[in-house]
């Protein structure tokens, strides 16, 4: 699943570590989500979106192939 | 979880490792005075096992001592322990370890059907094999997800 986390993070001049601390996860998890290797759970996706003051669908881009 | 409660939990873990250290010290003193340990006896295995896994626990103890009084490190450790990706890696690695261990047992049964070893040797070998398999699978899934 694609997402805009890296762009949003850079616009706020945040490091991965800082974002991870803010949403209660680790830097490695943020890296994996940004690169699309790992799909965040709904609670984590909600926390990330809330942190940026956006809706989940504005941060995470759902595509047909993501729906199994 | 409240960080104060988590700090108490870490303190409890420190006490438990302390108790474990005490147990090693008592068994080592017993060995010093009685010289009971010899290759193959039960005491040797229990004592050896406790000493063998002690570096893992003492590394944890050092880590806990370091984070317990540092708010930022404590939060980072809490996040690491409750990290969903880490839990997913452990879940996948556990399943893979179990499956590959069963496959290994079948293969050993096929190639060495009539081998007999002492039970303690077999248990020790299985624990080591499972630990190595778990480590390998964890590294594999860390790269994958």
């Amino acid at each position: 699943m694609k997402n805009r986390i890296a762009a949003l993070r850079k616009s706020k001049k945040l490091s991965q570590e800082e974002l991870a601390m803010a949403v209660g996860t680790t830097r490695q998890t943020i890296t994996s989500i940004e690169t699309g290797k790992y799909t965040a759970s709904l609670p984590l996706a909600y926390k990330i979106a809330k942190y940026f003051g956006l809706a989940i669908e504005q941060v995470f881009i759902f595509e047909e192939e993501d729906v199994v | 979880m409240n960080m104060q409660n988590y700090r108490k939990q870490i303190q409890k873990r420190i006490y438990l490792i302390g108790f474990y250290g005490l147990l090693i010290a008592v068994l080592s003193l017993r060995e010093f005075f009685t010289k009971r340990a010899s290759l193959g006896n039960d005491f040797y295995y229990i004592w050896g096992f406790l000493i063998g896994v002690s570096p893992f626990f003492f590394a944890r103890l050092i880590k806990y001592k370091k984070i317990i009084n540092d708010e930022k490190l404590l939060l980072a450790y809490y996040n690491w322990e409750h990290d969903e990706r880490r839990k997913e890696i452990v879940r996948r690695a556990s399943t893979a370890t179990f499956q590959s261990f069963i496959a290994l047992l079948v293969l050993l049964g096929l190639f060495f059907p009539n081998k007999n070893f002492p039970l303690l040797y077999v248990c020790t070998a299985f624990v080591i094999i499972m630990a190595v398999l778990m480590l390998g699978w964890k590294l594999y899934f860390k790269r994958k997800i």
Side-chain angles (χ1 to χ4, degrees), chain B residues 35 46 71:
Chain B
K35 300 269 181 265
I46 295 165
E71 207 63 42

Side-chain angles (χ1 to χ4, degrees), chain B residues 7 10-18 57-71 73-74 77:
Chain B
R7 183 173 282 117
I10 295 287
Q11 188 63 57
K12 218 179 277 175
R13 291 183 203 177
I14 291 173
Y15 289 144
L16 279 174
I17 297 174
F57 286 107
F58 291 125
R60 278 287 163 101
L61 181 71
I62 292 166
K63 178 97 184 163
Y64 292 154
K65 285 269 184 196
K66 205 172 141 190
I67 64 166
I68 198 157
N69 292 319
D70 189 322
E71 207 63 42
L73 286 179
L74 190 70
Y77 193 74

Side-chain angles (χ1 to χ4, degrees), chain A residues 17 20-21 24-26 28-29 32-33 37-41 43-44, chain B residues 72-73 75-76 79-86 88 142-145:
Chain A
E17 185 79 51
M21 288 292 266
T25 188
T26 60
Q28 289 87 342
T29 301
S32 280
I33 296 170
K37 276 178 160 182
Y38 177 71
T39 305
S41 68
L44 182 58
Chain B
K72 207 179 162 195
L73 286 179
L75 181 64
N79 287 345
W80 177 79
E81 253 194 5
H82 295 84
D83 182 40
E84 58 176 51
R85 178 174 160 272
R86 182 182 157 267
E88 178 67 13
K142 254 184 195 174
R143 288 173 70 94
K144 212 176 170 211
I145 65 170

